[in-house]
Amino acid sequence: MQTEYLQFNKRDLSHAGELIRAGELVAFPTETVYGLGANALDENAVAKTYAAKGRPSDNPLIVHICDKSQIYDIASEINDYAKTVIERVMPAPITIVLPKRSVIKDVVTAGLPSVAIRMPQSAEARQFLRAAAVPVSAPSANISGRPSPTTWQRVREDMDGRIAAVLCGAPCEVGIESTVLDLSRQEPIILRPGAVSAEHLSQLLGVQVKLLTDPDSKVNSPGIRYKHYAPKVPMVLALDDDFDKLCAFYDQKVAEGYNPVLWAHDPLRFVGRNAVSMGLDDGDAATKLFETMRMLETKYDFIIAEFCQSKNGIYDGPASRGVLDRLLRACGHNLI
Ligand code: AMP
Ligand code: MG
């Protein structure tokens, strides 16, 4: 299949919309990461998503909308917490999980009775969704297991020849996937941390919004069981602020014949060693995270990452938990 690379002009947007309604896959930018869109009401189109990504079929997709009224068409039992989030938070880098209506088929939700819904903040994403004129199911537009793409060029690396089109928009500003908030239970719970923090949601909803951290209770968000975001080279993570340990680990890897890199808050500290910045704060770290990961794996053969949340308060903003979650998955919880 020859993939078309489309621009944000009237003609290309309307063509992207036609492709979606014809049951084809179109990758598109959002503020979080690039998505791989399909008509969420067309089972055959949605099935193509799993094939193009090599995604396990028990990992559900998020349904993207551009108008809040669409939520009521695809979800039911919209409780007061959900109403508050819909009214006061959306559009934002947040996905809400609600009981689904029958228009949303099992292929979208991987057989779950609930549906995940997101209304992106990105103007480009909403232009595309308006052109599509149907709810659009979309996971991240990467081969399953790889770091999510935050530029259209990274989508091309993974998806060229596998999908009908890519809408070439701006690089993603948030950089990590949306916060997934389950509102289908009595108490709201975060299934996946993102840029909208637990603290912010707790304050807004007047109830402590917890994060799903117990591995045994992850039944409600099958996707988070899978290995994710893995770079092609080995990676370890240090969560403390131990300069000497990092240097010793680096030197040992050099002695073993590796060309390692330190991915750290302050690369200038590591003079004479390969070092790259993790970001000025947690928001910046999120924005650059996947792009840097994909760059590092091409230049080095061992990644030694450092992320110390308490470090001078630099990494303790709203995106901190989300960045930590992605780093832990990327290194397969391989801590030093
Ligand atoms: P992705 O953004 O590509 O990682 O995929 C969407 C993620 O949203 C999935 O991996 C799940 O973790 C989550 N998700 C989607 N639908 C549901 C649902 N009905 N219930 C719980 N979590 C969901
Ligand atoms: Mg993904």
Side-chain angles (χ1 to χ4, degrees), residues 31-285:
E31 71 274 25
T32 57
V33 302
Y34 270 71
L36 182 56
N39 178 355
L41 307 179
D42 176 345
E43 288 178 84
N44 292 328
V46 175
K48 289 182 187 173
T49 318
Y50 292 91
K53 278 187 63 110
R55 182 178 175 101
S57 60
D58 61 347
N59 189 357
L61 308 175
I62 294 171
V63 178
H64 293 69
I65 53 156
C66 58
D67 189 323
K68 291 182 184 181
S69 67
Q70 293 172 286
I71 299 171
Y72 297 82
D73 300 333
I74 58 182
S76 61
E77 295 169 52
I78 298 169
N79 61 28
D80 287 344
Y81 291 134
K83 281 183 190 146
T84 305
V85 174
I86 293 165
E87 278 163 30
R88 310 253 319 262
V89 185
M90 294 165 85
I94 191 169
T95 294
I96 57 173
V97 174
L98 291 166
K100 76 172 184 73
R101 288 192 188 276
S102 56
V103 282
I104 298 296
K105 302 298 180 204
D106 280 353
V107 65
V108 174
T109 67
L112 292 173
S114 56
V115 58
I117 305 171
R118 180 157 127 72
M119 181 175 180
Q121 207 164 32
S122 145
E124 287 180 339
R126 282 154 72 176
Q127 279 180 308
F128 163 67
L129 293 170
R130 225 168 285 127
V134 288
V136 170
S137 62
S140 48
N142 52 282
I143 296 288
S144 201
R146 296 274 300 138
S148 302
T150 53
T151 63
W152 68 262
Q153 291 91 342
R154 295 299 188 189
V155 177
R156 183 175 60 187
E157 270 176 24
D158 278 19
M159 289 297 156
D160 191 54
R162 304 172 77 97
I163 62 176
V166 177
L167 259 172
C168 304
C172 306
E173 281 176 18
V174 173
I176 55 171
E177 302 83 350
S178 56
T179 302
V180 177
L181 178 67
D182 190 346
L183 293 165
S184 71
R185 323 181 191 198
Q186 232 161 21
E187 295 291 307
I189 182 163
I190 292 178
L191 304 178
R192 174 175 77 185
V196 179
S197 69
E199 290 74 20
H200 176 73
L201 291 168
S202 300
Q203 207 167 32
L204 180 80
L205 298 177
V207 59
Q208 205 205 338
V209 178
K210 290 199 189 115
L211 260 127
L212 185 66
T213 44
D214 175 7
D216 298 333
S217 59
K218 283 179 180 170
V219 283
N220 250 26
S221 199
I224 57 187
R225 278 202 307 267
Y226 294 103
K227 193 175 178 204
H228 267 91
Y229 323 120
K232 287 176 178 160
V233 302
M235 173 170 158
V236 294
L237 176 65
L239 297 176
D240 47 11
D241 188 16
D242 189 340
F243 178 75
D244 293 336
K245 181 177 80 177
L246 285 170
C247 291
F249 193 90
Y250 179 100
D251 293 343
Q252 189 197 323
K253 288 297 148 197
V254 172
E256 288 170 19
Y258 285 102
N259 177 31
V261 62
L262 289 149
W263 188 15
H265 167 251
D266 185 1
L268 295 179
R269 287 204 302 170
F270 301 97
V271 239
R273 298 178 173 94
N274 303 322
V276 166
S277 170
M278 176 65 75
L280 301 173
D281 55 31
D282 52 291
D284 189 41

